[in-house]
Amino acid sequence: MESVVGSASEEDGSEGDHPDVTIAPSTSPAEAARLAAQHDNQVSRLLASESRGQHAPGKCAWDLVAMVDFPADRRSAVAWIIAEAIMKFRCGNSRAFACWRTAALSANAVAEDDRELVLSFLISVFGRPGAVEPGDTKAKQGKSNHLEGFVAEWLWHLIMKEQQAAHRERKYLSEPSYSVTEQGEDGFAVYAPPGTNVSLFFRLWEIKKHNTESSVVTATVQRASDQLNTRGLQYLAKLTSAHRQTDGDLGILFAELGDLWINADPRAGAGVGVATSTVSPPEACFSPLESTLGQFTNAGQLEGLLCVIENFTEFAVEVRRMVWSAL
């Protein structure tokens, strides 16, 4: 199979980066929504993907998902799917979602009476249009980092939600946090293997946005792996408490999370997801996960997801443009 992106010959994977590429956001939300609908509103059907790594004891099997050299309308379609999913989640059962979506697709701003209601659901992450002065570099940088991290979590969530595999059936998938700075796990999934009378198993995920200007991909994977190693048990404790009223096999699993993690039980496992603009990632970019969480020795216990999004910063801004389009 021809690779969806190039492979770096150097360890840092920096060759092939294109940090200066700027793609003008010209596709309307309505146009983006139409293209998204043609792909069943699934990001995975719009992105290129392939499996990498090894499904072997002590090794990390990982997937590479890429959006490189894509036309602007295709990038916008992915941005729309993410923006719509975010707003649907954040608005809950409020009428704010319908107000937002109708306005965005009609290219008209929400009614003045509805503006503050809609803003209340998005301002903590996306801010208010025009609220940051152009010269306020520090404020802009802070908002950019949070925005990119938030988009990275939602990209991971949608890919995992759409993922189908013959060797397991997903029984539970956590939703992203309301705020990207919220403490706790970034992602958590529960699966059942094929057959009847089988035991559920889980994967605890840490998701990072890779800053191509200050580090290499493997350094970001290392940072995520270290966080799982030092805080993973605390994240699982929080999940056990949050699901204390869950019944059935899923409830039993939530009660046992800590024990399974401490014992590196075959039903426990970990994953690292990274969103990056590095177009040519190194083949061994998830090796830090293998060495840091080496107690998970069974095949399949360690997983990775690398999302290569050309000019990720601009893509995150495009998601925000879709969100703001109703204001």
Side-chain angles (χ1 to χ4, degrees):
M1 176 189 299
E2 184 178 351
S3 176
V4 297
V5 297
S7 296
S9 57
E10 297 186 7
E11 183 178 354
D12 66 5
S14 60
E15 291 185 9
D17 288 4
H18 300 287
D20 297 326
V21 175
T22 301
I23 299 175
S26 58
T27 306
S28 71
E31 292 170 332
R34 280 193 291 270
L35 180 56
Q38 293 171 13
H39 294 81
D40 296 330
N41 291 304
Q42 295 187 8
V43 295
S44 57
R45 295 196 60 183
L46 283 157
L47 303 175
S49 64
E50 65 181 46
S51 297
R52 293 197 178 184
Q54 301 179 49
H55 187 80
K59 296 296 182 180
C60 176
W62 57 282
D63 292 323
L64 172 63
V65 176
M67 185 163 61
V68 178
D69 294 330
F70 277 26
D73 62 342
R74 198 175 181 95
R75 287 173 63 94
S76 294
V78 177
W80 168 259
I81 294 173
I82 295 174
E84 184 179 34
I86 289 172
M87 289 302 294
K88 187 173 184 179
F89 165 74
R90 294 179 71 83
C91 293
N93 294 324
S94 167
R95 66 183 180 86
F97 175 71
C99 292
W100 170 85
R101 191 176 190 276
T102 299
L105 294 178
S106 65
N108 295 313
V110 294
E112 191 62 32
D113 292 344
D114 298 326
R115 180 178 170 84
E116 289 304 313
L117 174 65
V118 173
L119 269 172
S120 68
F121 289 102
L122 61 87
I123 196 169
S124 64
V125 171
F126 297 100
R128 184 190 299 264
V132 179
E133 295 297 325
D136 191 353
T137 305
K138 183 177 180 180
K140 287 176 69 177
Q141 182 64 36
K143 287 182 179 295
S144 175
N145 287 340
H146 287 170
L147 173 65
E148 292 172 35
F150 193 73
V151 171
E153 287 192 18
W154 269 96
L155 181 58
W156 173 88
H157 175 77
L158 292 176
I159 290 172
M160 296 299 291
K161 185 177 180 180
E162 297 164 7
Q163 191 179 72
Q164 295 183 353
H167 67 285
R168 64 187 185 186
E169 179 185 358
R170 190 183 68 250
K171 295 296 186 180
Y172 175 85
L173 178 65
S174 64
E175 293 180 314
S177 302
Y178 193 80
S179 170
V180 74
T181 57
E182 189 173 317
Q183 295 296 311
E185 84 291 345
D186 290 335
F188 181 81
V190 176
Y191 301 96
T196 58
N197 299 321
V198 294
S199 298
L200 301 179
F201 61 95
F202 74 87
R203 297 291 178 264
L204 177 66
W205 285 77
E206 183 67 29
I207 304 158
K208 298 291 185 186
K209 162 62 176 69
H210 168 232
N211 187 335
T212 57
E213 296 181 358
S214 62
S215 67
V216 294
V217 174
T218 49
T220 301
V221 174
Q222 182 66 71
R223 187 159 54 92
S225 303
D226 289 340
Q227 195 163 330
L228 284 171
N229 192 40
T230 58
R231 301 181 186 175
L233 191 57
Q234 298 173 47
Y235 296 160
L236 294 174
K238 182 179 178 181
L239 282 165
T240 296
S241 176
H243 291 271
R244 59 189 177 277
Q245 295 182 339
T246 301
D247 298 324
D249 292 341
L250 195 57
I252 294 173
L253 179 72
F254 276 115
E256 298 175 342
L257 293 180
D259 290 317
L260 297 175
W261 183 267
I262 290 173
N263 297 323
D265 190 274
R267 290 186 290 153
V272 166
V274 177
T276 180
S277 293
T278 298
V279 176
S280 300
E283 286 291 340
C285 62
F286 284 95
S287 58
L289 179 60
E290 299 168 355
S291 58
T292 305
L293 295 178
Q295 68 270 31
F296 295 108
T297 58
N298 286 25
Q301 281 189 287
L302 300 177
E303 301 183 26
L305 178 65
L306 184 66
C307 299
V308 176
I309 308 298
E310 190 172 24
N311 202 338
F312 188 85
T313 298
E314 287 295 327
F315 176 71
V317 170
E318 176 70 346
V319 173
R320 184 176 63 185
R321 183 180 75 91
M322 292 292 169
V323 172
W324 278 358
S325 65
L327 302 175

